[in-house]
Amino acid sequence: MTSGYSIPILTYHHTEQAPPKGFPMRSLWVSPSSFSTQMHWLSLLGYRGLSMSDLMPYLQGEKKGKVVGITLDDGYQSNVIQALPILKNHGFSATCYVVSGRLGQHNEWDSAIGMAKAALMSGEDMRTWVDAGMEVGSHTCSHADLNLLSYEEARHEMLQSKSDLENLLQKSVTQFCYPYGHFSHEHEAMVSQVGYKAATTTHRGRACSTDRMTALPRVPVVRSTYSIQFLLKILTGYEDSKRSP
């Protein structure tokens, strides 16, 4: 890779109105109007929003341009209902990381902390997403914390999810995201071994030439990310200053 690039990879979860006060993790809900405004700002500034596969040539130094990665974690149905039309309107692509064993269900992995119940994409929703030029990546079969699994269990979560999604979509699935942001160097090696080309984390910062493709940092966008802060995240070293040591 060439040195000197700095590419924000944005992280979203829900793209709908937040649940009432009192629910944990309300910050993960970004309203459709906020999402639309943020995509408008990117267009206005001359940026192209890209899925992870579309972004790879830029991350690898093969292309140059004003680009931003757009990722959405967990595969919520609100992404296809609310975010998809906005993305299409701007000619952007995005990657949605899907929990393959929970299609058409809800975020039951969050029930223990009392997080609001939210619908997940069905197989039909995913096909709609992909047919519109978007990308599906893997977020394991069950939203598993890989650090709590054996080597064999972690490998199964990565490999089986990839296989199930590819069989459903009849497309290669080459992007991965670590649930909860938990992973080890062993899991990074596993990502490559089972056939993924890149993996994203919850580590903060814009992607740069020193980052490993199996541990890419991202820029979180949450409910309280208003326009000025959003622009700081894109245009300045705001997020880079928050990088893990």
Side-chain angles (χ1 to χ4, degrees), residues 52-222:
M52 288 304 299
S53 285
D54 289 342
L55 194 67
M56 289 296 287
Y58 297 90
L59 292 171
Q60 294 170 331
E62 298 166 4
K63 289 185 178 180
K64 293 182 180 179
K66 293 179 72 173
V67 295
V68 171
I70 300 177
T71 63
L72 305 103
D73 290 8
D74 299 338
Y76 293 106
Q77 193 175 45
S78 65
N79 299 159
V80 73
I81 295 172
Q82 303 287 0
L84 179 57
I86 297 167
L87 291 166
K88 287 175 63 178
N89 184 54
H90 290 286
F92 291 170
S93 59
T95 298
C96 189
Y97 294 113
V98 170
V99 181
S100 64
R102 299 290 184 268
L103 302 183
Q105 300 178 35
H106 66 276
N107 54 330
E108 60 187 53
W109 57 85
D110 290 322
S111 58
I113 62 169
M115 194 165 164
K117 187 175 179 179
L120 299 171
M121 284 188 191
S122 64
E124 184 178 350
D125 290 328
M126 282 204 313
R127 292 188 191 95
T128 298
W129 178 263
V130 169
D131 288 346
M134 307 298 152
E135 179 178 45
V136 165
S138 167
H139 208 32
T140 72
C141 295
S142 63
H143 203 279
D145 185 336
L146 298 177
N147 285 347
L148 300 180
L149 303 182
S150 68
Y151 179 92
E152 292 76 15
E153 289 169 335
R155 191 175 191 279
H156 173 78
E157 285 278 347
M158 287 188 190
L159 186 59
Q160 191 62 51
S161 177
K162 186 177 193 297
S163 175
D164 289 346
L165 292 172
E166 288 179 340
N167 287 337
L168 179 63
L169 298 171
Q170 293 298 297
K171 279 181 169 290
S172 294
V173 173
T174 62
Q175 301 295 324
F176 184 78
C177 178
Y178 302 103
Y180 309 104
H182 297 170
F183 67 100
S184 67
H185 289 301
E186 183 178 67
H187 298 130
E188 285 190 61
M190 202 180 291
V191 162
S192 299
Q193 289 164 7
V194 304
Y196 295 109
K197 293 182 179 178
T200 52
T201 70
T202 55
H203 294 175
R204 294 178 69 169
R206 295 177 299 178
C208 65
S209 57
T210 57
D211 293 317
R212 301 183 300 278
M213 287 295 124
T214 52
L216 291 167
R218 292 187 290 173
V219 173
V221 184
V222 297

Side-chain angles (χ1 to χ4, degrees), residues 4-8 67 206-209 234 236 240:
Y5 71 80
S6 187
I7 301 175
V67 295
R206 295 177 299 178
C208 65
S209 57
I234 299 295
T236 74
D240 304 333

Side-chain angles (χ1 to χ4, degrees), residues 10-19 25-39 71-72 76 78-79 82-83 86 219-226 230:
L10 304 180
T11 308
Y12 292 91
H13 286 79
H14 308 266
T15 49
E16 59 183 333
Q17 294 296 331
M25 307 296 284
R26 288 179 75 236
S27 63
L28 296 183
W29 272 259
V30 173
S31 70
S33 61
S34 292
F35 185 78
S36 179
T37 297
Q38 290 158 4
M39 297 304 104
T71 63
L72 305 103
Y76 293 106
S78 65
N79 299 159
Q82 303 287 0
I86 297 167
V219 173
V221 184
V222 297
R223 190 173 65 90
S224 59
T225 303
Y226 298 109
F230 181 78

Side-chain angles (χ1 to χ4, degrees), residues 37-38 40-42 44-45 47 206 225-238:
T37 297
Q38 290 158 4
H40 177 72
W41 271 116
L42 292 178
L44 202 62
L45 293 167
Y47 282 89
R206 295 177 299 178
T225 303
Y226 298 109
S227 292
I228 292 176
Q229 188 182 25
F230 181 78
L231 294 175
L232 288 173
K233 287 171 176 278
I234 299 295
L235 299 172
T236 74
Y238 178 91

